[in-house]
Every structure is written in C-alpha cells, then in structure tokens.
Amino acid sequence: MPFFSVIIPLYNKAPYVAKTIESVLRQTFSDYELMVIDNGSTDESSDIVAKYSDPRLRIHRIEENAGVSNARNKGVELTSAPYITFLDADDWWEPSFLEEMARLIEKHPSAGIYGSGYYIVKNGKKRVAPIGVDEEFTEGEINYCQVYAKTLCMPLTSISVCLPRAVFVETGGFPSAIKVGEDFLLWIQVASKFSTVFLNKPLCNYNQDVDPTYRATKQLPPPDKHMLWHLDDIEAIDEDHKKLIDSLRTYGLMPYLLNHHYRSRAQQELAKVDWGKQPSKIQRLYRKPIAYLIFRDWLQKLASRVKQKLAKTHSSS
C-alpha cells in the first residue's frame, strides 16, 4: 500500500495538466499513487494524461462534470493510502512537497491536517503567499483560525495540504453542493477537532495565469453554492473562530451587497457580524452609501483590467 494518495480532479485543462502531472512524477518521495479523476472533460485533457506510463498513475473517468468536490471525494473512495493529498490540474508542486509532508507526519503523527506555504503565480511571476504566521515561524502547530484571520490569505489550500484518510472520512469529505469555498468548509471542520501542523516554506504553486477560457465561471455564484452563506453551519467554538467567520463575511459579501438581486440577503448576513471587533477601515467602508461602493467597485475593476493589459503587453515585448 502506498503512503500517499495524490488526487487530481480534471476538467478541460489540456494546456496545463502535463505540468501538473510531471510535478508529481518528479517528487523526491516516491511512495505514492496518483489518481486523476477526469470529470467529464470534453477536450484532450484525458488523452494527455493517458500518455504517461508510470505504474503509479491511474485515470478514472466520470461521464458528466459533477463538480470538483465530487471528483475529489470519488478519488478518496478509489484510493487506499493512509494519507491523502490533492492537486488541481492547473497548479504544480515543488519537488520536495511529499517528502516534507512525510517528515511532518513522522514528527507530528497525531495531527489532523498538514500544510505548507505556497507561491502565487501571476503574470509569470511568483510571490510567496502572505500567510499570517510570524516571519520567524518555521514549522509546528498553528491556530488555524487565528492565522487565517490575520491576513485573510488561506493558510490551507486544496493544493498544499495532506490529511490522514481516517480524518477525511470522519469529517465527511468535501461538501458536494458547495462550488466556492468547499475546501474551506472541510479545513475548518478538521481544524476545530484536530491539530493543524504547518510548514512555513512555499512548496506549491497556485497558478493565477490560467486563461479565462479554462477557468471556472467568474459570475457571482448563487448563495446556496458559496461557502459564505453556510457559515452558520460552523459552530464558532472560540473568539478566534468567530473573528475569522466575521472577517470572511465582511471581506466576501461585498459583491453580493452591490448586486441588487442579493442585497437584502447580504445585509441579513452582515447583521450577524460583531462590528465592534472589526478594523476601523472596514467599519468606515460599510458605512458608505451603496452608490459610492458600486462606483468604487467599478473603478477597482477598471484599474485591474488596465494593469493586466499592461502586464501582458510588457511580458510579450
């Protein structure tokens, strides 16, 4: 039985999946199985994966796209290793990721989840994700909610974690009905019951240079599909927990507040926030008139489009 199962959900990522697969095959720790769940791809993604002859690699095909959560859950169902890792089909690992996870497991065998730092790749440049751990912190147990709330940069992501299979099964896996933030809902459940061990070293690459054609829709997800509208399902077990949930609400519900279809529901969710414990700049922002916030949002999007266009022009010159 292999030590790790590496699960890659795949849906129409033909330009990227080879780099993803090869980053796994180049791992310095070799005791793993690699399960690619082809989630109903309609491009040549599956054919690209099938060209690899490594005996550790298997492909399971699902006829219709049932969503990334179902694909990941199916992967866990089909694999057998005691430790589970995930990698999205347009991201990639540094060569020592699995080796470092194995080392953390040996050093902290009772943890419920392990994670590492990661790079954010944008406009061809890599920067270390600004996770809210102290600069001098190297590795060990962290307070997941406290660290997440500090910068609102995810300390755990679907490409940078490892879980014991038993913990994954006990917590029910990824919620299949949620399309945005499904991983957060799982991580916070695990972190509320088990210790979280973190290695402050970037070993994964979160690729934000994916062509929009290959991205999931950028339309505002319906509330029932977004984790922001399911935060009441998570029991706030302490002050750090409550602070994180409130911060996620104030950070993430703004687009819904600006959309007249969802405005009243967003206001109901925001009413649950303990505003006295929010930063003063957030309090001031939410006191602004809706018309001002809509105009501010339009300016920010315009500036972002201009910046992206300039970056592409610069990179191609």
Side-chain angles (χ1 to χ4, degrees):
M1 180 186 298
F3 192 74
F4 290 112
S5 286
V6 181
I7 297 167
I8 299 178
L10 173 63
Y11 179 72
N12 289 356
K13 293 294 175 68
Y16 308 100
V17 67
K19 185 171 186 175
T20 302
I21 295 292
E22 288 166 14
S23 80
V24 179
L25 299 180
R26 287 197 300 266
Q27 289 295 298
T28 54
F29 186 94
S30 60
D31 188 13
Y32 63 84
E33 59 183 356
L34 173 56
M35 173 62 74
V36 177
I37 307 297
D38 182 1
N39 206 10
S41 292
T42 57
D43 66 0
E44 64 272 27
S45 295
S46 189
D47 294 334
I48 292 171
V49 176
K51 292 179 181 178
Y52 292 92
S53 58
D54 194 294
R56 294 169 297 186
L57 189 155
R58 290 186 290 153
I59 306 174
H60 178 82
R61 293 178 176 85
I62 300 173
E63 291 303 317
E64 295 184 6
N65 186 354
V68 69
S69 290
N70 280 308
R72 291 178 183 140
N73 290 341
K74 185 64 176 178
V76 175
E77 179 185 327
L78 293 171
T79 55
S80 57
Y83 291 93
I84 309 295
T85 64
F86 303 94
L87 184 58
D88 291 344
D90 49 15
D91 300 318
W92 64 95
W93 284 339
E94 298 296 310
S96 63
F97 175 73
L98 289 180
E99 181 180 352
E100 292 283 13
M101 291 299 104
R103 186 181 62 78
L104 287 182
I105 291 166
E106 183 177 8
K107 192 172 180 180
H108 307 273
S110 63
I113 190 166
Y114 307 85
S116 79
Y118 56 96
Y119 294 107
I120 296 172
V121 183
K122 190 169 184 178
N123 299 323
K125 297 179 179 180
K126 296 167 65 168
R127 66 181 178 93
V128 178
I131 295 168
V133 293
D134 294 335
E135 189 174 331
E136 64 273 12
F137 179 86
T138 55
E139 67 176 62
E141 291 190 19
I142 61 168
N143 180 325
Y144 171 73
C145 293
Q146 190 178 83
V147 167
Y148 195 169
K150 188 173 180 180
T151 63
L152 287 185
C153 180
M154 299 176 291
L156 303 176
T157 77
S158 57
I159 69 169
S160 62
V161 301
C162 171
L163 297 89
R165 183 190 184 90
V167 170
F168 183 92
V169 173
E170 179 180 335
T171 49
F174 294 98
S176 58
I178 308 301
K179 305 302 180 185
V180 178
E182 74 290 334
D183 50 351
F184 164 76
L185 293 178
L186 175 57
W187 309 152
I188 198 168
Q189 283 191 68
V190 174
S192 66
K193 298 178 181 178
F194 305 92
S195 60
T196 300
V197 171
F198 182 76
L199 173 64
N200 192 20
K201 180 180 181 181
L203 296 173
C204 310
N205 295 273
Y206 173 34
N207 183 16
Q208 294 191 351
D209 282 340
V210 176
D211 188 287
T213 307
Y214 298 94
R215 284 187 182 275
T217 178
K218 284 193 171 185
Q219 295 180 346
L220 202 59
D224 63 323
K225 302 295 184 184
H226 200 301
M227 66 92 175
L228 285 170
W229 306 83
H230 295 267
L231 295 176
D232 282 344
D233 300 340
I234 306 168
E235 182 182 0
I237 58 175
D238 56 30
E239 186 174 336
D240 291 319
H241 208 137
K242 169 63 174 169
K243 181 180 179 181
L244 173 60
I245 289 174
D246 281 355
S247 296
L248 290 171
R249 282 182 171 128
T250 59
Y251 178 78
L253 286 171
M254 180 62 76
Y256 291 93
L257 183 67
L258 303 183
N259 186 304
H260 68 278
H261 293 295
Y262 301 124
R263 185 167 301 148
S264 61
R265 291 185 62 180
Q267 289 170 335
Q268 291 174 15
E269 290 298 306
L270 289 165
K272 301 171 183 177
V273 172
D274 185 350
W275 287 100
K277 295 184 178 179
Q278 290 299 302
S280 57
K281 65 177 182 179
I282 295 296
Q283 296 184 43
R284 290 195 300 270
L285 178 64
Y286 272 92
R287 292 193 192 109
K288 301 289 185 181
I290 292 293
Y292 168 85
L293 295 174
I294 292 174
F295 180 68
R296 175 181 178 272
D297 181 65
W298 177 83
L299 281 179
Q300 288 178 336
K301 290 177 178 176
L302 177 62
S304 178
R305 288 195 296 269
V306 170
K307 185 178 180 180
Q308 290 176 9
K309 187 174 182 179
L310 290 173
K312 289 180 179 179
T313 302
H314 177 74
S315 62
S316 61
S317 61

